[in-house]
Amino acid sequence: MDNNIADMQYLCNRTLSQERRGIIESIPQSGENILFVVAADLNLKSRYAEAFFIATNVAVYSVELEDDSESKNTSKNKRKNKDTSNGVSIKSSSRIPYSKVEKCKVKRNYGNAVLVINDTDGRYINFIRFSYKVASLFDAAANFVENVGVKKHGTIDEEMAIMEVAFERQFSFCPKCGRSLIHPGANCIYCQSKNKLIKKIGKYILPHKYVLIFCLLLSVATTAMAMIPPYMTGKLVDDVLPNRDLKQLRIVVAVLFASYLLQQVIGAFRTYMLRVVGDKVVSDLRADVYRHAQYLPMKFYDRTSTGSVINRISGDSANLQGFMLRITQEVVVQFFTMIGIIVIMLSMNWQLTLLSLIPVPFVVYGARVFGRKIRPFYRKIWRRWSAVTSILTDSLPGIRVIKSFANERRSTEEFEYYTDEWLKTDIKSARITIAFPHIVSFIITCGSLVIWGIGGRLVIEKPEFITAGLLVTFISYTSMFYGPVNFFANLNDSYQSSLAAAERILDIIDAEPESNNGAGNKLDVIQGKIEFRNVSFSYDRSKKTLSNINFVIEPGEIVGIVGTTGSGKSTIINLLMRFYDGYDGTILVDDVDIRDIDMEYYRGQIGYVQQEPMMFHDTIYNNIAYGVPDAHVEQVIHAADVANAHEFIARMPDAYDTILGERGTGLSGGERQRLSIARAVLKNPSILFFDEATASVDSETEELIQSAIERLIRGRTTIMIAHRLSTLRKANKIIVVDKGEIIEMGTPEELLAKKGKYWRLIQIQQMSEQVRKSKEEENFE
Amino acid sequence: MERIYIDNDMARFTRRDLTLVDMDLYDGRHFERLEPRRLFPITGTQKYITLLDEEGEEVAVIRDLTTLPAEDRRIIEECLDEYYHIPKIIKIKSCEERFGVTKFYCVTDRGECTIEVNNIIHQIKLTHGIRVLFRDNDDNRYEVPDIRRLDSKSRSILDDYL
């Protein structure tokens, strides 16, 4: 925790300057002790401001400060409070003692929230406003005020222990990058490593370092050989041809032949080796990105399209691999080539050498300007391309829907729109990317012209100073010299493109995986007791999906969760499955916090049957054995039998070897559901979750699924979410959820006798069930 | 039940609280503590404003805010302004990328603020070619209503991320 915070006698979510501490500590009435302070970032008028929520042992305060220098500028006569301290003063403040609080809650608006207090005089007070940045702390503060002031649940010390956890959670995130820390107060492992791109991607190259060094040596050899021809050409012009020396000619031609042959042979071998290394690097990189993608929390996928992830795994990793090889090979080779040529040229004629260097500053400057211009384009191109692939991944699997609504044209037009957007951006960037190398080439050519002009004149006027052969050799070296210059000038282009690719790949690799704090912690056997203690959760902080959920399910109990759509039923399952970990409160299985249990082990103990079971493009057998790949054949058949699936599988021509289409096409909804139940049977879990398992099937299929479910749930703790309350006929406890809160809980008989929400739902369902059955009978007749 | 659509002067509104209004319908019905919310908070800020009661049930929908009498329109707009905190970015003073977090130091119509974005690809979106929506790491929202109205420096900073 922050040192300054540790120095203070009370908790605070930000470092306070002495002057602010002075003001805050002067506010409570005498005899009151400050327990905690939450710094808010908005005032009640929804403007950014410095405001504080102060909780003492007697009352709560809200205080807005203003910067005197600003207020002098804006409203000289508006000074209300003389309680100033070094440039900051109190603009407004209010106090409510706990004894006057009747209700305290956080009302979430859009992008902001307000802590609202209902007092005993019947007033509804908007106490303090804040952005979502501090909303979770205010949630805890509202609970504190309610528990201390209204419910009088526990002592202030007990409630402060909860507040301390809330403050610690605030510091469980790195203040620099926002990632979760290993434990509260720990150093951020990402920020320590400074995110150095090369460092991070270098690890993929390191295993191949010996091959790469060998390739480097080979390329040094070929580069050295490339230096021979210009020298030999000069010799030809100056010595061999003027002297008509045939013997020398044969030697020169042989040396040139050997040099060219070796260059090509070694070059081909080196290219092959690099290709092999390159393929290995890209395959490692892809595997790593895919592996990371598997362990990313559901929250990542809630916000990222699968098309964009696919794009990163396929395109970006190849782009990055190309760049890594350029860095490790070409940069080194080109650098030494450039130095080698400069040394040779200087030894031949330093004046001409200096002349040939004239274009270099222009090229380097151009490369910098080019880099700045082109980088945003690469981001834009990627964004546009990502939109195109997202449409592909969205629309092609839904081709049936597109056809059934005769929407082929609209779908095509949409695709064309995004392709067009990509095209426009790509053409814009092409103007720069294509123009730049040509400009560089032109500048280089101009440099050669200068040497031809000045060098040629010297050959004509002062042949004793420079020979024709030397000029030819020099021009050859000059053109060779601009190879590396050109390379480095253009390197920025691929560097920028790769930087954008690296950003996107590291977005996955660096993304915080699902936390597995309990790694290795496996319970001997899971009995199946489930407990929710004060669990609250929101998907995106804008709206609370679950509020203060409390229930206990004993081992072997069958519990139905009912409620209207959007009431939070599936969220309860999502939290139990540990798809989302960022909730308040505790979820316990067999009295152990599920966050402290090994993730893989924990999920391995749970059978989860969804409303829309996901099937893979594989055989029926492999789909059933998905969770237990080494299951015996007869176990798989038995599982299918229990799930009432064996009969329909056996009737299929390829039976268990039938390959399902993508997402299980080729099977009816009820058949897919029975396969997913067979999967769960095979897994033999201790706990079972059914999420609307019979929601989209007819009555007859429902009976088949229902009897399969009943066979499966015997002796296991089962939570069933069901719209059709008939599905819950075996349930011995019902939890009714509404707007994220539990409104009723008890046995079905108790709830029916209560004549509350459950009873009303039953009445409605019985009527609609009668209508449905009579319609089905009508259709049958 | 048929949805009540409110046009022109079909209803009178009275401000009840920060984000709440009372409504008297032309047929004499009276509703209290209704919260106006946009049905299209991103694509249509003036049209289809739903009025929810304390249970979150919809009571009526205002079809088009601009057709309401001036006073009623002002009341509803004030409530919406209180509910929706979407600061409009007037100027981007600077921007820095460190440790994978991009920080935009901005001047907005609600004061100065720093927008922290972890993922520029997903959290900054250009819509309709001119409007830019930001969602920061805490799910707060910001917008640039029209990038053409930004000064050249702000525009050049922002352009790199669009």
Side-chain angles (χ1 to χ4, degrees):
Chain A
M1 204 179 280
D2 197 301
N3 285 337
N4 285 349
I5 291 158
D7 290 345
M8 291 191 289
Q9 299 297 307
Y10 47 86
L11 296 164
C12 183
N13 58 325
R14 58 168 265 205
T15 312
L16 295 175
S17 63
Q18 282 298 331
E19 53 190 312
R20 282 167 178 79
R21 280 174 66 173
I23 291 176
I24 286 169
E25 286 163 14
S26 71
I27 286 169
Q29 294 180 356
S30 63
E32 290 184 20
N33 298 321
I34 297 179
L35 300 173
F36 63 86
V37 174
V38 185
D41 46 2
L42 298 174
N43 62 16
L44 276 174
K45 288 180 179 167
S46 201
R47 292 188 64 83
Y48 289 105
E50 204 174 359
F52 295 93
F53 174 86
I54 304 167
T56 71
N57 52 336
V58 179
V60 285
Y61 295 83
S62 73
V63 185
E64 188 190 340
L65 301 186
E66 72 179 335
D67 192 321
D68 285 352
S69 57
E70 275 179 25
S71 65
K72 268 176 200 161
N73 292 337
T74 52
S75 54
K76 283 181 185 170
N77 303 320
K78 274 193 176 176
R79 182 61 40 81
K80 293 173 187 169
N81 202 313
K82 301 286 176 260
D83 190 2
T84 60
S85 170
N86 295 333
V88 185
S89 61
I90 298 172
K91 189 176 181 188
S92 63
S93 70
S94 60
R95 175 183 189 267
I96 300 180
Y98 296 126
S99 56
K100 297 279 280 178
V101 177
E102 197 165 276
K103 204 173 174 190
C104 179
K105 64 170 186 177
V106 169
K107 183 182 178 296
R108 278 176 150 69
N109 298 328
Y110 191 95
N112 72 105
V114 180
L115 188 123
V116 179
I117 294 177
N118 290 51
D119 72 4
T120 48
D121 299 334
R123 288 183 305 165
Y124 179 91
I125 303 161
N126 295 300
F127 198 59
I128 189 164
R129 195 195 282 247
F130 41 89
S131 76
Y132 290 161
K133 205 168 259 183
V134 284
S136 58
L137 263 182
F138 274 103
D139 280 334
N143 277 337
F144 177 90
V145 175
E146 279 242 321
N147 289 343
V148 169
V150 188
K151 296 175 186 166
K152 298 186 170 55
H153 271 170
T155 64
I156 282 189
D157 284 347
E158 283 167 1
E159 292 303 323
M160 274 307 290
I162 298 170
M163 278 312 294
E164 274 172 29
V165 173
F167 275 93
E168 270 180 21
R169 275 181 65 117
Q170 190 78 4
F171 290 96
S172 296
F173 299 95
C174 173
K176 283 178 184 163
C177 69
R179 290 187 176 93
S180 283
L181 304 175
I182 297 168
H183 56 81
N187 287 322
C188 177
I189 49 170
Y190 295 98
C191 292
Q192 271 180 334
S193 69
K194 305 290 182 200
N195 254 2
K196 289 284 181 200
L197 176 75
I198 304 295
K199 215 174 182 179
K200 289 200 170 186
I201 59 178
K203 73 169 188 171
Y204 297 96
I205 285 184
L206 224 55
H208 311 286
K209 58 178 181 284
Y210 294 115
V211 181
L212 289 173
I213 290 168
F214 180 62
C215 288
L216 207 57
L217 292 175
L218 290 181
S219 68
V220 170
T222 50
T223 309
M225 274 172 228
M227 304 285 177
I228 297 170
Y231 174 76
M232 298 309 273
T233 317
K235 209 168 170 54
L236 266 177
V237 174
D238 279 352
D239 301 335
V240 180
L241 297 180
N243 297 332
R244 298 168 186 266
D245 187 343
L246 283 174
K247 190 183 167 193
Q248 280 288 317
L249 182 66
R250 270 187 231 109
I251 293 168
V252 168
V253 170
V255 169
L256 283 174
F257 175 77
S259 149
Y260 290 138
L261 182 69
L262 277 172
Q263 272 187 66
Q264 295 309 318
V265 170
I266 296 172
F269 181 64
R270 175 176 164 268
T271 310
Y272 170 74
M273 300 280 280
L274 283 178
R275 170 80 175 265
V276 172
V277 171
D279 286 352
K280 282 182 181 167
V281 167
V282 78
S283 125
D284 287 348
L285 192 58
R286 277 182 185 149
D288 216 16
V289 176
Y290 187 73
R291 194 179 310 115
H292 274 86
Q294 295 289 309
Y295 290 101
L296 289 179
M298 290 304 292
K299 214 171 180 177
F300 180 88
Y301 291 100
D302 290 347
R303 289 179 178 173
T304 314
S305 75
T306 44
S308 132
V309 178
I310 292 167
N311 214 2
R312 294 175 211 201
I313 294 172
S314 54
D316 287 336
S317 47
N319 187 344
L320 201 56
Q321 169 255 349
F323 178 68
M324 284 191 275
L325 290 182
R326 289 192 93 182
I327 284 282
T328 54
Q329 292 288 306
E330 298 302 317
V331 167
V332 180
V333 171
Q334 300 288 353
F335 178 74
F336 284 112
T337 307
M338 198 163 71
I339 299 295
I341 292 171
I342 289 180
V343 171
I344 294 173
M345 283 164 68
L346 281 173
S347 66
M348 288 165 69
N349 188 308
W350 66 270
Q351 292 99 330
L352 282 181
T353 308
L354 290 181
L355 273 178
S356 63
L357 292 179
I358 288 172
V360 172
F362 297 104
V363 172
V364 171
Y365 175 74
R368 284 177 66 86
V369 174
F370 174 70
R372 274 205 303 273
K373 290 252 179 233
I374 199 68
R375 191 174 173 193
F377 275 108
Y378 282 118
R379 279 209 197 107
K380 283 178 193 172
I381 290 170
W382 186 85
R383 269 180 187 240
R384 309 284 185 279
W385 185 245
S386 196
V388 172
T389 49
S390 288
I391 289 183
L392 285 176
T393 48
D394 268 358
S395 61
L396 290 182
I399 193 76
R400 279 165 201 269
V401 182
I402 293 172
K403 282 185 181 297
S404 64
F405 282 88
N407 253 346
E408 291 93 335
R409 185 185 296 171
R410 205 175 89 186
S411 176
T412 312
E413 279 169 2
E414 192 185 15
F415 183 76
E416 281 170 359
Y417 169 78
Y418 283 103
T419 314
D420 201 41
E421 286 290 300
W422 166 81
L423 184 68
K424 278 185 214 160
T425 315
D426 197 58
I427 288 173
K428 260 190 201 171
S429 88
R431 281 178 208 148
I432 303 176
T433 47
I434 291 170
F436 184 74
H438 287 282
I439 292 168
V440 169
S441 293
F442 178 70
I443 295 170
I444 291 168
T445 315
C446 289
S448 306
L449 286 179
V450 172
I451 298 166
W452 268 118
I454 297 173
R457 191 173 166 185
L458 285 172
V459 171
I460 294 164
E461 290 178 357
K462 294 179 181 173
E464 72 284 356
F465 185 70
I466 182 169
T467 63
L470 187 68
L471 183 64
V472 170
T473 308
F474 208 89
I475 291 290
S476 302
Y477 279 129
T478 306
S479 60
M480 279 178 71
F481 168 71
Y482 277 108
V485 171
N486 208 352
F487 169 84
F488 282 112
N490 285 310
L491 182 67
N492 207 21
D493 177 12
S494 64
Y495 174 71
Q496 297 298 341
S497 155
S498 304
L499 208 63
E503 260 178 19
R504 293 183 297 264
I505 285 184
L506 292 180
D507 185 36
I508 291 184
I509 290 181
D510 284 355
E512 190 190 343
E514 290 176 306
S515 59
N516 192 8
N517 295 337
N521 183 23
K522 299 173 185 176
L523 308 181
D524 291 339
V525 63
I526 287 193
Q527 301 292 337
K529 184 185 174 190
I530 296 172
E531 186 177 353
F532 270 55
R533 275 190 206 158
N534 307 317
V535 174
S536 298
F537 176 73
S538 66
Y539 284 101
D540 63 359
R541 305 190 201 198
S542 58
K543 184 190 163 200
K544 271 209 165 179
T545 316
L546 293 180
S547 295
N548 207 22
I549 299 287
N550 288 286
F551 62 77
V552 180
I553 299 170
E554 296 299 335
E557 269 192 326
I558 299 162
V559 176
I561 302 181
V562 297
T564 48
T565 307
S567 56
K569 305 184 299 287
S570 296
T571 307
I572 291 176
I573 302 286
N574 282 341
L575 296 190
L576 268 167
M577 285 299 295
R578 289 190 60 187
F579 290 153
Y580 301 88
D581 266 353
Y583 53 83
D584 297 325
T586 321
I587 301 173
L588 304 137
V589 165
D590 287 357
D591 297 321
V592 180
D593 190 329
I594 57 171
R595 289 178 285 206
D596 294 335
I597 305 174
D598 185 277
M599 175 91 82
E600 205 176 323
Y601 166 79
Y602 174 72
R603 286 192 182 146
Q605 304 302 310
I606 297 172
Y608 180 32
V609 180
Q610 293 163 275
Q611 184 180 355
E612 292 291 338
M614 174 70 196
M615 294 291 138
F616 296 100
H617 179 45
D618 204 341
T619 62
I620 286 182
Y621 179 90
N622 286 339
N623 267 291
I624 296 175
Y626 183 73
V628 193
D630 53 353
H632 190 272
V633 178
E634 287 176 23
Q635 285 177 302
V636 174
I637 294 172
H638 173 72
D641 228 356
V642 174
N644 281 338
H646 178 72
E647 274 187 35
F648 84 78
I649 297 170
R651 279 198 297 271
M652 297 173 96
D654 289 328
Y656 283 89
D657 286 331
T658 306
I659 292 180
L660 301 179
E662 275 179 60
R663 294 165 201 237
T665 46
L667 294 180
S668 71
E671 286 168 341
R672 279 202 295 275
Q673 195 56 277
R674 279 177 278 168
L675 286 191
S676 80
I677 292 172
R679 252 185 209 165
V681 173
L682 191 66
K683 205 173 170 188
N684 193 22
S686 312
I687 299 170
L688 276 165
F689 302 142
F690 292 92
D691 192 352
E692 311 270 15
T694 58
S696 48
V697 292
D698 57 67
S699 299
E700 201 179 332
T701 313
E702 186 191 353
E703 277 303 315
L704 283 170
I705 294 174
Q706 196 61 34
S707 65
I709 290 175
E710 282 168 16
R711 277 200 289 271
L712 172 60
I713 63 179
R714 249 169 246 153
R716 303 174 211 268
T717 306
T718 305
I719 296 182
M720 300 173 108
I721 292 177
H723 264 311
R724 284 189 198 168
L725 303 179
S726 57
T727 316
L728 302 176
R729 60 194 178 200
K730 292 276 174 188
N732 36 31
K733 188 189 271 181
I734 300 287
I735 297 171
V736 186
V737 187
D738 190 39
K739 291 175 189 158
E741 291 178 12
I742 294 178
I743 54 166
E744 286 173 23
M745 183 159 53
T747 63
E749 295 75 26
E750 283 169 355
L751 297 189
L752 285 175
K754 204 176 168 187
K755 293 205 170 176
K757 178 99 176 177
Y758 180 69
W759 178 80
R760 281 201 300 279
L761 285 170
I762 289 277
Q763 299 296 310
I764 296 164
Q765 290 249 316
Q766 277 174 349
M767 281 191 282
S768 60
E769 218 30 43
Q770 278 170 1
V771 174
R772 188 167 76 106
K773 280 202 170 143
S774 62
K775 275 196 174 173
E776 277 179 18
E777 278 163 20
E778 247 173 54
N779 291 339
F780 182 71
E781 281 161 12
Chain B
M1 204 175 93
E2 193 132 322
R3 174 167 293 111
I4 304 171
Y5 279 107
I6 296 171
D7 294 300
N8 305 313
D9 58 353
M10 281 170 66
R12 284 278 171 274
F13 295 99
T14 321
R15 185 83 181 267
R16 180 66 184 254
D17 192 53
L18 212 57
T19 60
L20 303 177
V21 293
D22 291 347
M23 176 175 77
D24 288 294
L25 273 180
Y26 68 98
D27 59 5
R29 280 184 286 170
H30 177 73
F31 298 91
E32 289 192 342
R33 300 184 72 81
L34 303 180
E35 186 162 72
R37 299 238 199 119
R38 291 185 174 113
L39 286 176
F40 303 94
I42 292 171
T43 53
T45 53
Q46 297 288 304
K47 291 183 178 171
Y48 296 100
I49 312 296
T50 183
L51 299 164
L52 305 178
D53 67 13
E54 284 185 295
E55 296 299 309
E57 303 290 332
E58 183 176 273
V59 172
V61 174
I62 301 169
R63 248 199 199 104
D64 188 344
L65 214 48
T66 57
T67 66
L68 260 54
E71 179 60 12
D72 291 319
R73 183 180 169 182
R74 185 187 60 78
I75 288 169
I76 299 292
E77 279 178 343
E78 278 176 6
C79 281
L80 291 172
D81 278 349
E82 293 290 351
Y83 185 83
Y84 293 92
H85 179 78
I86 314 171
K88 291 183 175 56
I89 297 168
I90 298 163
K91 184 179 181 181
I92 302 173
K93 289 159 73 178
S94 63
C95 164
E96 63 172 26
E97 287 181 53
R98 289 188 72 201
F99 315 121
V101 181
T102 309
K103 284 186 182 181
F104 296 89
Y105 298 94
C106 300
V107 178
T108 74
D109 62 341
R110 314 242 179 164
E112 289 196 15
C113 69
T114 305
I115 304 173
E116 294 186 8
V117 172
N118 272 358
N119 188 322
I120 51 167
I121 292 160
H122 297 118
Q123 292 173 244
I124 305 172
K125 297 275 182 203
L126 176 73
T127 60
H128 305 99
I130 54 162
R131 190 167 172 220
V132 183
L133 302 171
F134 281 75
R135 198 192 70 231
D136 76 4
N137 295 336
D138 294 296
D139 269 324
N140 295 304
R141 319 292 164 112
Y142 312 82
E143 73 165 331
V144 178
D146 187 345
I147 44 170
R148 294 170 302 186
R149 289 188 187 165
L150 285 179
D151 59 281
S152 58
K153 186 188 166 195
S154 307
R155 205 170 159 179
S156 132
I157 292 173
L158 189 55
D159 204 40
D160 284 1
Y161 298 95
L162 300 178

